[in-house]
């Protein structure tokens, strides 16, 4: 497989990138983003492009891929809905729309979040915007679209959150996270399992369009 990955410098994207580079089924990974991932590997190609709302200048480098793993996202804390929607909805659909036009035979996997609001009518701003984004992605003419809605994620294999205070929280709670992954599979997963589940869903086809934490854990073990 040849995979386009967005968000490779974030916690989820780091984990997904590691699994793609480890998996023999993955031939090539193109990391597309406004900054480089900082990782070196023979399988990895970096494409730094500052305007993800307009990919016209780099479209020729986006052809011939089997899947896009979209792990790019921001926290809604302190953001107005319009600002959050511009990043979460507008940017995602700009990228996805361009890829669907270039290669509708591609699989598109979007990292959303637990409790996303598919009705787009709930009280939670972030959940409404995520739900609207999911619904719009499902209308695009891809071969398949899968929506990953993890709850808590335990970072493994050196994956680190970008924000310092979040790193400190993860370091302090590491033993509890391991227990939660073991005993609360419906609420917790790991960065490794998210990556493996994406690869497996692309290769085999997913059992449904939406993957909650338990589904991610099950799909990660499917190979």
């Amino acid at each position: 497989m040849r995979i386009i990955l967005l968000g490779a410098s974030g916690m989820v994207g780091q984990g997904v990138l590691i699994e793609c580079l480890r998996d023999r089924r993955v031939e090539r990974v193109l990391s597309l983003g406004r900054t480089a991932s900082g990782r070196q590997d023979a399988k990895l190609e970096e494409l730094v492009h500052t305007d993800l709302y307009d990919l016209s200048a780099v479209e020729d480098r986006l052809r011939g891929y089997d899947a896009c793993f979209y792990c790019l996202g921001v926290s809604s804390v302190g953001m107005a809905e319009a600002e959050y929607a511009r990043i979460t909805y507008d940017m995602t659909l700009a990228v996805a729309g361009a890829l669907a036009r270039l290669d509708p035979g591609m699989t598109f996997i979007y990292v959303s979040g637990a409790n996303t609001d598919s009705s787009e009518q709930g009280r939670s701003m972030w959940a409404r915007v995520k739900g609207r984004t999911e619904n719009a992605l499902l209308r695009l003419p891809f071969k398949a679209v899968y929506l990953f809605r993890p709850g808590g994620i335990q970072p493994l294999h050196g994956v680190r959150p970008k924000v310092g205070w979040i790193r400190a929280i993860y370091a302090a709670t590491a033993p509890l996270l391991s227990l939660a992954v073991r005993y609360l599979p419906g609420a917790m997963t790991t960065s490794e399992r998210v990556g493996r589940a994406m690869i497996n869903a692309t290769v085999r086809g997913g059992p449904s369009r939406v993957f909650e934490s338990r589904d991610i854990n099950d799909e990660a073990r499917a190979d």
Side-chain angles (χ1 to χ4, degrees):
M1 287 186 298
R2 294 166 58 86
I3 293 168
I4 296 173
L5 173 63
L6 286 96
S9 62
M11 191 183 81
V12 176
Q14 289 176 53
V16 172
L17 177 57
I18 288 170
E19 296 312 309
C20 287
L21 297 179
R22 293 172 61 184
D23 197 299
R24 294 180 180 178
R25 296 169 295 180
V26 178
E27 171 192 353
R28 193 76 174 164
V29 181
L30 177 68
S31 174
L32 170 62
R34 291 170 291 187
T35 59
S37 70
R39 185 174 292 272
Q40 301 290 323
D41 192 277
K43 285 186 180 181
L44 177 62
E45 178 184 356
E46 302 271 13
L47 175 53
V48 176
H49 183 67
T50 56
D51 185 4
L52 296 179
Y53 297 94
D54 182 3
L55 299 180
S56 57
V58 295
E59 283 187 354
D60 287 347
R61 297 181 63 181
L62 304 177
R63 301 178 187 274
Y65 286 84
D66 301 291
C68 175
F69 297 165
Y70 195 100
C71 305
L72 184 62
V74 295
S75 169
S76 64
V77 176
M79 297 183 73
E81 183 166 351
E83 181 185 10
Y84 182 69
R86 173 163 168 73
I87 297 172
T88 301
Y89 180 89
D90 294 348
M91 184 185 293
T92 305
L93 268 295
V95 172
L99 294 178
R101 176 171 49 80
L102 291 170
D103 191 351
M106 176 183 287
T107 294
F108 192 94
I109 300 182
Y110 175 65
V111 177
S112 186
N115 302 314
T116 290
D117 179 14
S118 298
S119 76
E120 307 178 31
Q121 302 298 318
R123 297 179 63 182
S124 173
M125 180 272 282
W126 77 264
R128 289 195 310 270
V129 174
K130 285 281 193 180
R132 182 156 62 95
T133 305
E134 287 187 353
N135 292 338
L137 290 172
L138 290 173
R139 291 192 290 267
L140 291 177
F142 285 112
K143 172 185 175 183
V145 173
Y146 298 118
L147 310 169
F148 274 44
R149 296 180 179 178
I153 299 175
Q154 180 189 22
L156 299 177
H157 309 307
V159 170
R160 300 179 65 197
K162 293 168 65 174
V163 181
W165 65 269
I166 298 179
R167 284 200 300 269
I169 291 174
Y170 271 95
T173 59
L176 294 177
L177 292 178
S178 296
L179 289 172
V181 168
R182 182 174 181 180
Y183 293 109
L184 299 171
M188 286 289 300
T189 187
T190 70
S191 58
E192 176 184 317
R193 291 179 183 179
V194 172
R196 298 222 56 76
M198 286 187 177
I199 295 168
N200 288 343
T202 301
V203 171
R204 299 160 5 100
S208 66
R209 289 179 166 184
V210 177
F211 284 72
E212 307 286 354
S213 289
R214 187 180 300 277
D215 306 309
I216 292 169
N217 291 329
D218 290 343
E219 188 69 20
R221 293 189 288 264
D223 60 343

